[in-house]
Amino acid sequence: MEKSITVVGGDLRIVKLIEMLNEDGYKVYTYALENSEELLNLGAVEMCPTLEEAVSYSKVVVGPVPLSSDRKRLSAPFGRNNVNLDEFMETIKGKYLIAGNISIGDQLEKYDIKYIDLLKREEFSVLNTIATAEGTIQIAMEETQRTVHGSNVLVMGFGRIGKVLAKMLDGIGAKVYCEARKDEDISWIKAYGYNPIHLNNLDENLDKFDIIINTIPFQLLVGERLDLIKKDAVIIDLASNPGGVDRKAARDRDLKVIWALSLPAKVAPLTSAEFIKETLYHVLEEL
Amino acid sequence: MEKSITVVGGDLRIVKLIEMLNEDGYKVYTYALENSEELLNLGAVEMCPTLEEAVSYSKVVVGPVPLSSDRKRLSAPFGRNNVNLDEFMETIKGKYLIAGNISIGDQLEKYDIKYIDLLKREEFSVLNTIATAEGTIQIAMEETQRTVHGSNVLVMGFGRIGKVLAKMLDGIGAKVYCEARKDEDISWIKAYGYNPIHLNNLDENLDKFDIIINTIPFQLLVGERLDLIKKDAVIIDLASNPGGVDRKAARDRDLKVIWALSLPAKVAPLTSAEFIKETLYHVLEEL
Amino acid sequence: MEKSITVVGGDLRIVKLIEMLNEDGYKVYTYALENSEELLNLGAVEMCPTLEEAVSYSKVVVGPVPLSSDRKRLSAPFGRNNVNLDEFMETIKGKYLIAGNISIGDQLEKYDIKYIDLLKREEFSVLNTIATAEGTIQIAMEETQRTVHGSNVLVMGFGRIGKVLAKMLDGIGAKVYCEARKDEDISWIKAYGYNPIHLNNLDENLDKFDIIINTIPFQLLVGERLDLIKKDAVIIDLASNPGGVDRKAARDRDLKVIWALSLPAKVAPLTSAEFIKETLYHVLEEL
Amino acid sequence: MEKSITVVGGDLRIVKLIEMLNEDGYKVYTYALENSEELLNLGAVEMCPTLEEAVSYSKVVVGPVPLSSDRKRLSAPFGRNNVNLDEFMETIKGKYLIAGNISIGDQLEKYDIKYIDLLKREEFSVLNTIATAEGTIQIAMEETQRTVHGSNVLVMGFGRIGKVLAKMLDGIGAKVYCEARKDEDISWIKAYGYNPIHLNNLDENLDKFDIIINTIPFQLLVGERLDLIKKDAVIIDLASNPGGVDRKAARDRDLKVIWALSLPAKVAPLTSAEFIKETLYHVLEEL
C-alpha cells in the first residue's frame, strides 16, 4: 500500500523534506510550491492545481515552518499564488496539520483541525539547536579578523542553545565563558568545564571578550553596560524580537552587532529538513 | 566581627570542610569529630566536650552528609560517642540545620528546626555528579584489562550523571553510546555527538559493549537480557538500592558487576568538601 | 632608548603587525604601504618618501609574506609604487631581511643580506595552521547545505594541517576520518580517536563522505577515483599548485571543488599578524 | 595451509597475544609459558617440552617485551625454567626474532639472527602511549583526594606521551598546562588549546599545580625547584631510570612522588596485546 502525504507551502527545508519523503517511498501532493525547480524533476511528486485537490489525498497536511510570518498568509516563498490563512483553514477542516510556530491554535480548533507544532516538540528544538549553534560560529568566523580559536567568547544564557554552542566553541579552541543567573546553571557550566560568570559579576568581566553571543530573550546588553565592551568586539544576538541588545545604543557606540535569526533554514536547510523529517515520523507514529 | 559556625558529626568531607571554613576565617565549634587527627592540629577549631556547648555558639548547625544511615544515630565515623537522633533534635531546637539526605523532615518541624537538605539543592547535585562520573571512570580503568580509550561503552540513562559521564568518557577516547527512552533525550545525545540508542533497540545492541554503566533507578538489566551481554564485559551499577541489575541473575551468568555507591566521598573527599562549602555559602547568604 | 624597525610592503597582516609593533613601543618606518588608511592615523609610524630613507633607520627590514608572487616585484598591495626586487636587494645590502617564502636566497647572499624566512620557522607554520584549519571549516560551513556537525568528513593527510583540522572538526561534532599512508600516522589517528583509513583502503570508503579535505601536495583525487565520490559532496583542496585534485576531471563529473589557498591572510589577518609578531620577536632575540 | 608461529617467554600481554593469534587461526608453539593457566585450556596452543622443539616449528620466533630485564635471562614470568640468553640465541640461530627492547643486537647478528624490536617501531610506540596515558590518569585519580576534573595539571614534555596525555586530561576536564623548551612545541601546545609554559618560565608557575606529570628523561625537578611545589601536590614520574625527579630531595621535602613505569603491561594487558598483534602482523607482511 502506497503512503501519501500532502505538503502546502514552506521554504527550502520543506523542499528538501519532500525529496526525502520521496526517497522513503512516499507519494507527495503539493500546493504553493510551484516555483521550486528541484521539485519539478521529481517523478513521485504531484503539484496539484488547487489547494482543495492537494488536500484531498491525505488526512495529514504538512505546512510551513513557521506557518505564517504575518498571521494573514501562509509562508510560501516558492508558491505561485498567495494562500490566505482563513481559506487554508477552511480547506483543511477536520484534518491533521503539522507545521511550525503555529500561533493560531484557537482558530484551528474552531475548524476542528488537530495540529502539532514542530517548534514545540522538545526533540525538534534540540536538533534545531545544532544548526543554530553552527550558524552562529560561521557568523563569528566571517565577521571577525581573528580566529575564533584562542578568542575569549562569552555565551549569555545556558539554555538549549547556550549548551550546544559552548560545546562547539570549546571544541574549536575558543576560551569559553558562560553567563547564567541560577546557581544550578553555574554548577552545570563548571561540570562541563567552561568558565562560569554569574550575572552579578558580568559587568566586571565584560571588557575581556572578543565575541559576545546572546541567547537570552531579555535586554541585558543596554545603556552603560555597553560602554564596558571592547570597541572591536563582535556581538551576535540570537534572541527573537526585540532581541537582547539595545541596538540603537550599540550603534551610538559604534559597536558591531549582528542580529541573527532563523539560522537553521539559512545555513543548513538539508540538515534542518532531516530534523523535520525525523520529528514528522515520530508524530505520524503517534497519530 | 568573627564568624562562627557549629559542625556535628560527618565523614572525611566534613573534616576537609572544617579546614576550609577555618582558612576562610570561621571559628568552628565541633562535636562528634574527636577522632579526626587532622582537626586536632587546627588552632581555630574548638572541639567541645558536649553537644550542648558546641551548639550554643551558633544558630547554624552543619550536620553529616547523609545525616544518618540508620535513622537512629547521626553519621559520625570520627565521633568518640554515638549521637542519638532524638537527642540531637532536642538539642538543636530552634536552630538551622544544614545536612544531606535529611529524611526526618516531619520530626524536625516538630522541634521547630529549620533545615536545608544539601542533596536536594540542584547546584550541589550537579557538582557531586562530577566526582561520581570521575569515580566511575576510575573503577572502569581498574576493573578492565583494556584501556577505556577505544572501548565501546554504554551509558544507560541521560540524566545528570549520564550527561557528565558521557562527556568525560568521550574526552578520554571511549566510543560512547547513550541509552534513553525519551525522543528529547535522544536528540540531546545526538547534539552532544554520542551514539544514541533508544531503549526499544537496546537488546540488539547489547553485545557490542565492553563496559556498561547504569544510572537508571530501575532494573533494566534482568533475565534473558543479561544473556546478550559479552562474557568479559564489566557492568558498573550506579543506581541506589535495589540497583539497576539483577545481581543474582548476573552472578549465575558469571558477569562481573560492580555496584558503586557514594563515590564522591570515596574518590574525591576534598573536591566534595569544596562543593559542600560552596553550597553552604549560598545557603548562608539566603538565610 | 627607542626601538625602531623598518617595514617594506606587505598585505593587511603586515598593516596589523605595524599597529601592534607600535603599541609595543616601536617606532616604525615604512615604505610601499602608502595606501593603507589604517596606518595614516598612527602617530609613531613614519611613511618615508623613499625606500632608501626607510631602510636607513634600522638594520632589520621586515618584508612581505610572501616576499614576492612573481619573483620580479615585492608584494605590496598597499604601495603607491612598485618595488623592483633587484632594486630592493641593492638598497638593503648588508641588512637583515625577515619575510616569508623567500625563494631568492642565492641572490640575497650575493648582496650580503642575511635573511630569515618566517614560513620556514616551524613555530610560525604551526600557528599558521590554526588559521588555515579554521578557514577551512568556515568554507565547509558556507559551501554545504548541511551542518558540519554530524557530517562524515575525510581529512586526507595527517601532517600539521591534518592534525589541527581533525581536532577542530571533531570538536564541532563532525564524524572525522583521516587518511594516511604510514603505519605510524595510522597509530596517531587512533590515539587521537579519529577513524583511520589507510591509503590502500581509500577507494572502498570514498562514497561515504559529505566533505573531503585534501592537505596532501600530490594528486590523489584523480580519474576513476573521482567516480566513487558522492555527487553532492564538497571537496576542499588545501594543497598548493597544482593541488591534490584533477580539477578538469572533477568538473567533468560535476563535483564541487574549492581550491583554498592563503587562508590565514584571508580569514584571520589579525591573528596572523599576532603570529608574525610572535615569531618576529623570537627572531629578534636570536639576532 | 595452516599458519604457525613460535612464542617464547613473556608476560600477561604475550599470553593474551597468543589467545588472539589462536582466534585468528594460528597454531602456536610455546616455551617458557608453562605456568599460564589461561594457555593450558587453549586447544590449538602446544606447549613444547624443550626450546628446541618449540623453535623447530616456525621460522619466526616471538619473544618477550622487553626481551630481558637483566641481560642474562629471557623475561619469562610464566616459565617453569629460566632461559639463558646465550642458549636462546644459540637455539634460534638463523631465525627471525620479534621482541621488545632488544639491546643485544650485536650478538644477535653474530648468530645470524634477524630481529625486529617492537619498541623501535614508531607505530607501536604511539599505540603504547595510549595505555601509558590512561594508566597515568588512573594513578592521578587514585592518589589524590580531589577530582582530576578542575585540577591544575602540569605535563612536562610535549613528546608522544605528553601529547596523548594532555588530550585525555583535557577531555576529562582538567586545566592542562604543558611545559616545553622549543618554540615549535609551544606553538603546538597553543594549537591544541592547552596552556603553554616555556621551560624558562617554569619556576614562577610551579606553585599552582595539583598534579605534576613528568615525561622528560632528564632531571628537571631537583633542588630548590622542589620548594616551589605545593605541599599537597602529587608528582607522577614517567621517565625511565634515573627518572626526572630527585627522589631523595623530594622525600626530604615530604613531597608525594610516584614513579610509574611499564604502565601498559600493568593497566591494560589486553589492549597492549592487541597493539603487539597489530604491529606483529605488519612485521610479518614485511618479511
Side-chain angles (χ1 to χ4, degrees), chain A residues 8-33:
Chain A
V8 181
D11 59 19
L12 188 52
R13 292 173 295 173
I14 295 293
V15 170
K16 297 290 178 190
L17 170 70
I18 293 170
E19 290 180 17
M20 291 173 193
L21 289 170
N22 210 227
E23 276 170 37
D24 287 0
Y26 276 90
K27 169 89 186 169
V28 186
Y29 299 90
T30 69
Y31 185 72
L33 283 158

Side-chain angles (χ1 to χ4, degrees), chain B residues 115-143:
Chain B
Y115 66 96
I116 283 166
D117 191 333
L118 289 170
L119 291 176
K120 293 225 171 96
R121 298 277 294 200
E122 189 66 17
E123 74 209 272
F124 180 70
S125 298
V126 172
L127 290 175
N128 236 357
T129 297
I130 299 172
T132 300
E134 191 166 316
T136 305
I137 290 177
Q138 180 179 329
I139 292 172
M141 289 176 172
E142 290 166 348
E143 298 289 339

Side-chain angles (χ1 to χ4, degrees), chain C residues 121-124 126-127 130 160 163-164 167 170 183-184 187-188 190-192 194 278 282 286, chain D residues 121-124 126-127 130 160 163-164 167 183-184 187-188 190-192 194 278 282 286:
Chain C
R121 298 278 294 199
E122 189 66 17
E123 74 210 270
F124 180 70
V126 172
L127 291 175
I130 299 173
R160 274 195 304 255
K163 283 188 179 75
V164 176
K167 184 183 191 326
D170 180 66
D183 289 335
E184 176 190 340
S187 290
W188 273 115
K190 279 184 203 165
Y192 280 120
Y194 316 128
E278 213 164 296
H282 285 155
E286 293 168 13
Chain D
R121 298 278 293 200
E122 189 65 18
E123 73 209 271
F124 179 69
V126 173
L127 291 175
I130 299 172
R160 276 194 303 255
K163 283 188 179 74
V164 176
K167 183 180 193 327
D183 289 335
E184 175 191 340
S187 290
W188 272 114
K190 281 184 203 165
Y192 279 120
Y194 316 128
E278 213 164 294
H282 286 156
E286 293 167 13

Side-chain angles (χ1 to χ4, degrees), chain D:
Chain D
M1 201 207 67
E2 206 194 37
K3 302 172 289 180
S4 64
I5 201 160
T6 297
V7 182
V8 182
D11 59 19
L12 188 53
R13 292 173 295 173
I14 295 291
V15 171
K16 297 291 178 189
L17 169 69
I18 293 170
E19 290 180 16
M20 291 174 191
L21 289 170
N22 211 227
E23 276 170 37
D24 287 2
Y26 275 89
K27 169 89 186 169
V28 185
Y29 298 89
T30 69
Y31 184 73
L33 283 159
E34 294 73 18
N35 295 331
S36 157
E37 282 181 41
E38 282 163 283
L39 292 185
L40 288 174
N41 307 318
L42 284 181
V45 171
E46 191 167 329
M47 294 201 176
C48 303
T50 63
L51 178 58
E52 287 69 26
E53 188 185 329
V55 163
S56 69
Y57 294 110
S58 161
K59 68 172 189 184
V60 175
V61 177
V62 175
V65 182
L67 184 65
S68 168
S69 51
D70 61 3
R71 286 171 164 253
K72 284 180 197 141
R73 287 166 305 176
L74 213 66
S75 295
F78 292 107
R80 195 174 297 138
N81 308 302
N82 286 333
V83 181
N84 185 281
L85 266 190
D86 288 329
E87 183 204 332
F88 179 66
M89 289 187 287
E90 176 71 34
T91 316
I92 67 170
K93 218 183 245 182
K95 307 253 171 184
Y96 272 100
L97 171 64
I98 299 172
N101 208 12
I102 300 174
S103 50
I104 50 165
D106 303 354
Q107 294 168 262
L108 290 169
E109 276 158 28
K110 267 188 257 163
Y111 283 99
D112 186 31
I113 299 167
K114 293 204 188 70
Y115 66 95
I116 283 166
D117 191 333
L118 289 171
L119 291 177
K120 292 224 172 95
R121 298 278 293 200
E122 189 65 18
E123 73 209 271
F124 179 69
S125 298
V126 173
L127 291 175
N128 236 356
T129 296
I130 299 172
T132 300
E134 191 166 316
T136 305
I137 290 177
Q138 180 180 328
I139 291 172
M141 288 177 172
E142 289 167 348
E143 298 290 338
T144 55
Q145 296 196 312
R146 355 178 107 266
T147 54
V148 175
H149 180 287
S151 293
N152 286 324
V153 183
L154 174 67
V155 177
M156 296 179 64
F158 203 65
R160 276 194 303 255
I161 295 182
K163 283 188 179 74
V164 176
L165 196 45
K167 183 180 193 327
M168 286 193 184
L169 286 166
D170 180 66
I172 54 168
K175 285 168 194 144
V176 182
Y177 295 77
C178 295
E179 178 275 340
R181 205 171 31 84
K182 288 190 284 177
D183 289 335
E184 175 191 340
D185 284 341
I186 296 290
S187 290
W188 272 114
I189 294 166
K190 281 184 203 165
Y192 279 120
Y194 316 128
N195 302 290
I197 293 187
H198 194 282
L199 178 53
N200 296 341
N201 309 321
L202 178 59
D203 288 355
E204 64 228 56
N205 282 287
L206 262 183
D207 66 340
K208 69 164 152 271
F209 301 111
D210 304 302
I211 300 168
I212 297 174
I213 302 167
N214 176 61
T215 73
I216 308 172
F218 184 80
Q219 290 219 341
L220 283 177
L221 294 176
V222 297
E224 296 178 4
R225 185 169 273 157
L226 292 170
D227 295 324
L228 304 170
I229 296 174
K230 266 194 207 173
K231 284 303 154 219
D232 61 347
V234 170
I235 304 172
I236 304 175
D237 190 2
L238 302 178
S240 349
N241 214 344
V245 186
D246 179 338
R247 276 191 295 284
K248 195 193 160 311
R251 218 178 304 121
D252 292 348
R253 285 158 175 87
D254 253 337
L255 287 171
K256 186 171 193 174
V257 180
I258 293 133
W259 195 21
L261 300 179
S262 309
L263 289 176
K266 286 176 198 156
V267 303
L270 213 54
T271 306
S272 293
E274 278 167 12
F275 296 161
I276 294 177
K277 189 187 89 168
E278 213 164 294
T279 310
L280 177 64
Y281 284 3
H282 286 156
V283 169
L284 292 177
E285 270 173 35
E286 293 167 13
L287 288 186

Side-chain angles (χ1 to χ4, degrees), chain B residues 11 85 116 126 132 166 176 204 213 216 226 255 282:
Chain B
D11 59 19
L85 265 190
I116 283 166
V126 172
T132 300
V176 182
E204 65 227 56
I213 302 168
I216 307 172
L226 292 169
L255 288 171
H282 285 155

